[in-house]
Amino acid sequence: MKFDVLTLFPEMFEPVKQSILGRAEEKELIEINLINIRDFSQDKHKKVDDTPYGGGAGMVMKPDVVYEAYQSLKNKNAKVIYLSPQGKPLNQEKVVELSKQEHLILLCGHYEGIDQRVIDEIVDEEISIGDYVLTGGELPAMVLIDSISRYVEGVLNQESVEEESFSNGILEYPQYTRPETFLGKKVPEILQSGHHGNIAKWRRKEALYNTYRKRPDLLQKQNLSQEDRKILKKIENIHKEKEEK
Ligand code: 4H6
């Protein structure tokens, strides 16, 4: 998977080029190509922004500079993604969909954003990582790179990727490791029983319970099995009983 990143702040990506993704890059499973948009300014002062037409606060990134940076890319067949608060909210389904691409171009805006004309010309998809405002599109681009890379074969143990939270649409079950007793609290006995069938059932119940308590909205979208519905009914009833007390 190749990422071309158009940004005014390439240094910000250094941490991502290390750790897990760094190793994946070493193995050449992932390539992060950073393009400094400022290198394409024709101006003697390397100016990349200007005041907004119509007035108002802040500055707007110049369309010509962004366009030249884009034109410098070798392969322009790839999807261009603009990270912006106006984009479609990112979710795991979108992450999985994008992970099937072999090449993505990520456009990071700064100041008040980028001149609309160049966006209309080069951008295929506008994505937001959530309903809040950041100073630039770099952190969202890193979020996208990190979340997509987990699905690139060989980057992670694919077994754990398939098992995890969200890939099946509900939250995960709780995890435990040694010591067996911590602050007087014992690990749930069933996890030491060695009975894989019972452990799987217990984990499914805990996952459904977690989702019911913390993200009931996720349950609405689910195609739950007959068995899951039964478990949820029980969870709901236990909850109601507690409220009545
Ligand atoms: C493009 C357009 C993404 C990029 C405007 C980017 C949040 C997200 C930015 C802006 C971002 C997100 C600049 C508009 C600062 C507000 C950079 N913020 N903004 N949620 N900021 O994915 O002012």
Side-chain angles (χ1 to χ4, degrees), residues 1-3 20-21 23-25 27-32 92 95-104 144-162 164:
M1 165 71 89
K2 179 176 179 177
F3 298 98
I20 304 181
L21 289 189
R23 260 179 284 140
E25 226 195 349
K27 286 193 274 176
E28 296 186 341
L29 300 169
I30 288 166
E31 185 185 347
I32 304 171
Q92 200 66 21
V95 168
V96 172
E97 180 196 311
L98 292 173
S99 74
K100 288 167 185 156
Q101 303 278 326
E102 57 182 273
H103 182 192
L104 291 170
L144 209 54
I145 291 171
D146 190 287
S147 58
I148 290 172
S149 298
R150 303 177 65 254
Y151 287 94
V152 173
E153 206 139 283
V155 172
L156 284 188
N157 170 357
Q158 291 306 302
E159 218 178 308
S160 54
V161 176
E162 278 150 35
E164 82 208 332

Side-chain angles (χ1 to χ4, degrees), residues 76-126:
K76 289 183 272 293
N77 298 324
K79 225 182 202 132
V80 177
I81 299 174
Y82 180 43
L83 291 310
S84 118
Q86 296 183 30
K88 193 166 168 212
L90 183 64
N91 60 26
Q92 200 66 21
E93 194 186 334
K94 177 55 87 178
V95 168
V96 172
E97 180 196 311
L98 292 173
S99 74
K100 288 167 185 156
Q101 303 278 326
E102 57 182 273
H103 182 192
L104 291 170
I105 300 170
L106 308 182
L107 176 59
C108 306
H110 249 268
Y111 314 115
E112 300 308 310
I114 305 177
D115 183 302
Q116 190 62 39
R117 291 166 295 179
V118 70
I119 295 169
D120 293 344
E121 184 68 27
I122 70 174
V123 171
D124 297 299
E125 270 190 62
E126 200 166 337

Side-chain angles (χ1 to χ4, degrees), residues 60-74:
V60 177
M61 282 173 72
K62 289 164 62 56
D64 50 338
V65 182
V66 172
Y67 193 65
E68 286 306 312
Y70 167 74
Q71 286 298 335
S72 78
L73 297 174
K74 282 187 224 115

